[in-house]
Amino acid sequence: MTIPVFPETVDSLWVDGRLATMTGPTRYGTVENGALAVVGGRIAWIGSQAGLPADAASRAGSIHHLENAWVTPGLIDCHTHLVYAGSRCAEFEMRLGGATYAQIARAGGGIMRTVTAVRAADEDALYRQSARRLKAMLAEGVTAVEIKSGYGLDTRNELKMLRVMRRLDHNFPTAVMPTFLGAHALPPEYSGRPEAYIDLVIDEMIPAVAAAGLATAVDAFCERIAFSPAQTERIFGAARARGLAVKLHAEQLSDSKGALLAARFNALSADHLEYLGDDGAAAMAEAGTVAVLLPGAFYFLGETRKPPVGLLRGHKVAMALATDCNPGTSPTTSPLLMMNMACVNFGLTPAEALAGFTVNAARALGMQNRWGTLAVGKQADFAVWDVDEPAELAYRMGGNPCRMTVIGGTVACA
Ligand code: NIG
Ligand code: FE
């Protein structure tokens, strides 16, 4: 590591921290007795405190003592459906009684139940319900979150969801990256006419979303109970034509070869992946497509088929983790609980789990130049934790040891 030059003056100086930078050759990129300095919302200096110039304190606008707490990059939740209305508690009870997620979906419940609730909710109500969830995430160290539409399924309501995301982005310090997921499910008014719905998505929704600048990426649910690879390909083509990034819900319930398609389109990520095969993993590695694992959905649906972590490691596919925060398959706002589940159920190491919510999550959003590690030039987004070692973040089941969340060098939540 080259030692950065300490600037003449800095906005803030953070000292006495144990830094898990998530860079370099060691698992956490640890710097004991670490310090970092912020200028203009970015990390301008980071390293061992011993390397600070003697007069560093007098050159800083403010000094923050971390009292030996651990500091990680801000957590990034790269796959959520956080904007929604209502709950699906009744379906939870049905599934406990033996019904499956696919059965409930085919019977008109599942995603459609939430679509009905979202269509009925006005924009303010949708905002209020969603803001509660984002607030909980911010308190658990989340500095950036991706949110998908996909519970509107008509132009008006998809745009309504995306506007709620924009409002969350404006009103919260946490950055919101909006993704258009019009191809989440076939709305009842298009029953039996999936191609006509895809036409609507391509001819009306994607142009409207792109024109309003309301999304940076387009996602689809490629699955037997949702859309085929051929239909997904049409969506991806339209997205790329508008300059939008693509990503995919793939191989969650069957090996539909969605990951291969995603890789062919240089998707940012392919997500879920329980049924991913060797061909898909190889293609993702080649394309640099990140594997986003969603241990909450696996757990909550009582799935038994685990994503092929060994295969992903073997092919050196970067693995991210996310909450998948949604009312049907993962009603959670807790990245730390997901880290625990990823370790216990998927066999990730605690270091892989933390990388999954930091450096690799940033890659999954195409934001690796700005987010995901503690390094000079990166945005000064970090979380300060009352833990004795970073692995403890994945060890606990529940509880929130986050002392403060810092975004752009400013304390956003404490
Ligand atoms: O990521 N797989 C599809 N979409 C969501 C579930 C949405 C829902 O059931 O409301 C998921 O699991
Ligand atoms: Fe999802």
Side-chain angles (χ1 to χ4, degrees):
M1 197 168 101
T2 53
I3 304 194
V5 178
F6 195 86
E8 206 48 52
T9 60
V10 298
D11 298 332
S12 61
L13 177 63
W14 303 72
V15 296
D16 297 331
R18 309 174 79 183
L19 313 179
T21 64
M22 305 310 283
T23 63
T26 67
R27 290 181 311 160
Y28 295 103
T30 298
V31 180
E32 295 279 357
N33 300 314
L36 66 84
V38 179
V39 174
R42 287 172 186 260
I43 298 175
W45 190 94
I46 183 165
S48 164
Q49 209 149 292
L52 282 174
D55 62 347
S58 65
R59 286 151 66 175
S62 63
I63 300 184
H64 303 258
H65 294 272
L66 295 161
E67 297 161 335
N68 229 19
W70 276 94
V71 181
T72 68
L75 303 187
I76 300 164
D77 195 348
C78 68
H79 177 145
T80 85
H81 310 250
L82 177 146
V83 169
Y84 63 82
S87 98
R88 300 247 289 282
C89 197
E91 293 180 3
F92 174 54
E93 297 193 69
M94 284 165 71
R95 285 195 300 98
L96 292 173
T100 68
Y101 181 66
Q103 280 166 351
I104 292 170
R106 282 195 204 96
I111 292 170
M112 286 320 304
R113 178 166 300 275
T114 303
V115 170
T116 304
V118 165
R119 286 178 175 181
D122 68 34
E123 209 164 308
D124 288 342
L126 193 55
Y127 174 84
R128 275 196 306 277
Q129 294 188 40
S130 306
R132 283 203 293 269
R133 292 184 277 272
L134 188 54
K135 196 172 163 205
M137 285 192 180
L138 174 61
E140 206 177 291
V142 174
T143 55
V145 63
E146 184 259 19
I147 309 178
K148 302 169 194 300
S149 68
Y151 291 125
L153 306 186
D154 60 30
T155 307
R156 191 169 65 86
N157 286 292
E158 286 293 307
L159 291 175
K160 177 173 82 181
M161 289 187 75
L162 292 165
R163 281 196 304 272
V164 167
M165 293 171 212
R166 182 154 71 183
R167 217 163 124 191
L168 291 168
D169 186 48
H170 283 166
N171 294 350
F172 279 80
T174 304
V176 173
M177 301 237 3
T179 296
F180 171 66
L181 176 58
H184 193 197
L186 190 64
E189 55 276 19
Y190 280 87
S191 179
R193 299 185 294 135
E195 296 300 334
Y197 181 65
I198 300 290
D199 288 343
L200 179 76
V201 169
I202 289 172
D203 297 335
E204 192 176 297
M205 294 189 195
I206 290 178
V209 168
L214 280 169
T216 54
V218 172
D219 192 350
F221 187 16
C222 184
E223 191 55 66
R224 288 199 287 244
I225 59 167
F227 297 98
S228 68
Q231 291 163 341
T232 304
E233 184 163 358
R234 293 185 57 205
I235 307 266
F236 278 4
R240 296 316 292 263
R242 300 268 168 183
L244 297 168
V246 298
K247 54 177 77 177
L248 192 63
H249 282 72
E251 273 76 284
Q252 181 183 12
L253 308 169
S254 63
D255 187 3
S256 302
K257 303 295 175 199
L260 277 177
L261 177 68
R264 187 146 60 74
F265 277 83
N266 289 310
L268 287 171
S269 68
D271 305 28
H272 285 288
L273 301 175
E274 278 80 351
Y275 287 80
L276 179 72
D278 189 68
D279 52 351
M284 286 172 68
E286 177 77 28
T289 297
V290 176
V292 178
L293 308 183
L294 304 166
F298 171 89
Y299 162 83
F300 195 70
L301 293 181
E303 298 289 346
T304 51
R305 171 87 171 223
K306 302 182 181 198
V309 166
L311 201 59
L312 293 167
R313 284 191 190 120
H315 283 286
K316 296 195 165 39
V317 177
M319 290 183 283
L321 294 175
T323 62
D324 199 7
C325 171
N326 78 74
T329 68
S330 196
T332 181
T333 54
S334 175
L336 297 192
L337 183 59
M338 299 304 105
M339 285 169 60
N340 177 269
M341 288 179 176
C343 293
V344 173
N345 286 333
F346 295 169
L348 264 64
T349 66
E352 284 176 322
L354 185 57
F357 269 109
T358 54
V359 58
N360 290 343
R363 277 188 61 185
L365 296 177
M367 295 298 282
Q368 62 272 27
N369 292 335
R370 195 182 303 179
W371 298 337
T373 62
L374 299 178
V376 169
K378 290 285 177 83
Q379 194 162 300
D381 293 357
F382 51 91
V384 182
W385 306 96
D386 288 315
V387 295
D388 292 329
E389 53 183 312
E392 203 178 320
L393 297 172
Y395 157 76
R396 296 195 176 279
M397 298 168 60
N400 181 12
C402 184
R403 188 192 293 179
M404 76 175 94
T405 308
V406 177
I407 300 181
T410 301
V411 178
C413 181

